[in-house]
Amino acid sequence: AEASPFGWPLAPNEWQYAHPECWAEKYPLCAGERQSPMDIDLRSTTADCAPKKMSATPGALAEKATYKILAGKPEVTVSTYMRSAALSGELGGVTLTASGGRLVEYEAVQAHLTAGSLHSINGTTADAELLVLHKPKGAVDALSNAVIISMLFREGQASSALFSQMGFSDDADGHGHELGSTWKAPQSIDVHAAMHDALRGVSYSYSGSVPVPPCSESVHYIVLAAEQSVGASQVAKLKDVLAKHTGGTQKRAPVARKANGVCREIEQDSLQVTAPRAGCAEVSDKSAACWAATCDKSPVDIKTDLASGAGETKFGDLAMYSPTDHVTVSPSMYTLDATGSFGQLILNGRVFRATKLSIKAIAQHTLDGQRFPGELVVEHSLFGDHLAAGAAEGGAGGGHHRRRLEAEAHSAAAEGEATAEAHR
């Protein structure tokens, strides 16, 4: 399974490029109002649709970029998730201004080259597009705050050095399908030189989304308007590779900039990053991005260096789990659940029965910032809770149960104090 370049250890797979109209059924954010890719439509003459011209001059972006050369023969990998030929490594970065006027260095972590552009300008798509994915320097991933700088290619007489360096030569002989899903580039890859000319031209920025499910609206795009030349045979070879290993080159069509009479904001020649905005009213509470603000206690990132009581008690001394043959398994919206009697756990002298197991694809907790492909959650209930519920429902007839539970609780508390004292 392929990892998401934005940070998830597993990329979503219950969707198809051929049916983007169905994405929102399982990924509600795909129906949001700030989706990508977008048509950079500059044709409207109304004031509300005119690009917002910033103080930076065309080419100022080039002075803020510090892209590098991937030396040797770096590995190129086909991404089925992004339908691209991808590079990973220390690609350099760019310094931009975040909210509050803070200068933030964004490090480029991946570059994705695809045939048939995602973005369009004034309704016209390009023949290819390079998307350079950045995250804030020092951040674990790009899930909450990503920057993508996009460069467009148009078939012309001049070939593209970047395409050649990645293995798509301008030689009329040979085909891209001769390449596997992963290969060594024939030479070093100079990302700086490839982007230099385009960075010196006009750019258009907008607040958008991950261009594929789950469509999280947490990406700031900078689309470079100056198209770069690429050989027709180079594009054809890239298309061959994508067709062979990803099933084709079709992607989500650029969404219209104007919807419901409102134009999405575009900034021209901007060095500022727009902070991601929550947009839950128009999508669904099925997305964690929409209810995380009200559920801020769990899950958490576990900082192991801040953990207390290390080594005092081993979990194996507290957990007494056991196999069982009587289990009911059922899927829920986010998990695969199993209910049954799986043993017990003793904490502070109290017995908690293990009654439910849930397997989550993509772990909800993180450990020192690291994300994991899955998580097993064991739910426990305090022994006697089920009797307490029955006692409450039984009214006066439940008095015997209540008295017995109170006695159990008193005894467990005393035992817990003794255990705690023993630990001390």
Side-chain angles (χ1 to χ4, degrees):
E2 182 179 349
S4 162
F6 295 88
W8 295 118
L10 292 175
N13 60 8
E14 290 190 2
W15 59 280
Q16 295 178 331
Y17 269 106
H19 297 288
E21 70 280 2
C22 299
W23 292 358
E25 293 177 6
K26 290 185 177 293
Y27 306 97
L29 286 179
C30 296
E33 294 183 351
R34 291 181 294 278
Q35 289 295 288
S36 295
M38 184 177 77
D39 177 34
I40 309 297
D41 193 341
L42 311 171
R43 294 168 291 189
S44 177
T45 58
T46 60
D48 63 318
C49 284
K52 183 179 179 181
K53 294 186 178 181
M54 308 303 289
S55 56
T57 58
L61 199 57
E63 299 175 3
K64 301 295 183 180
T66 55
Y67 294 114
K68 298 180 179 180
I69 298 175
L70 288 178
K73 296 182 177 182
E75 187 173 84
V76 182
T77 302
V78 174
S79 169
T80 303
Y81 179 57
M82 295 288 287
R83 274 199 168 167
S84 67
L87 296 169
S88 299
E90 296 182 4
L91 304 175
V94 62
T95 300
L96 300 170
T97 303
S99 58
R102 299 177 298 109
L103 289 179
V104 177
E105 184 177 349
Y106 290 86
E107 52 186 359
V109 292
Q110 288 193 9
H112 292 262
L113 185 64
T114 188
S117 68
L118 283 85
H119 289 90
S120 58
I121 297 181
N122 293 331
T124 302
T125 56
D127 296 312
E129 183 170 350
L130 176 72
L131 299 103
V132 183
L133 172 63
H134 306 70
K135 66 179 181 67
K137 187 173 183 179
V140 175
D141 51 46
L143 286 175
S144 62
N145 187 7
V147 171
I148 289 180
I149 296 184
S150 171
M151 185 170 69
L152 305 174
F153 293 86
R154 181 72 59 190
E155 291 183 5
Q157 294 184 348
S159 61
S160 166
L162 176 67
F163 271 70
S164 296
Q165 292 164 6
M166 291 182 65
F168 306 107
S169 69
D170 199 21
D171 185 354
D173 297 329
H175 301 278
H177 62 69
E178 297 170 350
L179 297 170
S181 59
T182 301
W183 65 90
K184 291 289 185 180
Q187 56 186 299
S188 299
I189 298 177
D190 192 341
V191 179
H192 173 79
M195 301 188 66
H196 182 265
D197 289 346
L199 287 169
R200 296 183 66 84
V202 174
S203 64
Y204 298 103
S205 304
Y206 75 96
S207 179
S209 73
V210 174
V212 288
C215 308
S216 308
E217 294 180 338
S218 57
V219 184
H220 180 83
Y221 282 88
I222 302 176
V223 180
L224 307 178
E227 295 179 341
Q228 305 302 296
S229 181
V230 62
S233 62
Q234 293 180 300
V235 175
K237 289 177 182 178
L238 175 57
K239 286 182 176 180
D240 281 348
V241 168
L242 298 182
K244 179 180 179 181
H245 298 291
T246 74
T249 59
Q250 177 185 342
K251 291 174 282 291
R252 187 187 208 181
V255 299
R257 181 188 171 200
K258 193 171 186 177
N260 300 321
V262 179
C263 273
R264 290 169 64 180
E265 184 176 274
I266 290 178
E267 294 182 348
Q268 180 177 329
D269 301 320
S270 175
L271 298 177
Q272 298 180 3
V273 174
T274 305
R277 295 175 294 172
C280 298
E282 68 273 15
V283 285
S284 170
D285 60 1
K286 294 179 181 179
S287 171
C290 297
W291 42 258
T294 58
C295 299
D296 59 349
K297 304 304 181 187
S298 291
V300 298
D301 177 36
I302 299 171
K303 305 289 187 182
T304 56
D305 60 336
L306 300 178
S308 61
E312 291 183 5
T313 304
K314 294 182 179 179
F315 183 76
D317 296 333
L318 304 175
M320 291 172 281
Y321 296 133
S322 57
T324 178
D325 296 328
H326 304 286
V327 176
T328 301
V329 179
S330 61
S332 66
M333 183 176 295
Y334 301 108
T335 61
L336 182 65
D337 302 328
T339 55
S341 180
F342 303 103
Q344 61 189 27
L345 178 69
I346 299 179
L347 289 177
N348 293 328
R350 297 191 176 191
V351 177
F352 294 81
R353 299 183 309 144
T355 57
K356 182 179 179 180
L357 307 181
S358 296
I359 299 176
K360 296 176 179 285
I362 306 298
Q364 56 184 0
H365 291 86
T366 55
L367 188 64
D368 292 327
Q370 183 180 356
R371 299 185 184 275
F372 296 88
E375 182 171 348
L376 173 65
V377 178
V378 184
E379 293 186 24
H380 304 75
S381 60
L382 180 63
F383 180 77
D385 276 359
H386 63 299
L387 298 177
E393 294 174 359
H400 171 72
H401 293 295
R402 285 196 298 273
R403 288 192 296 273
R404 185 165 65 83
L405 290 173
E406 289 171 359
E408 286 181 356
H410 179 75
S411 175
E415 183 180 348
E417 292 174 1
T419 302
E421 182 64 30
H423 283 168
R424 286 195 292 270

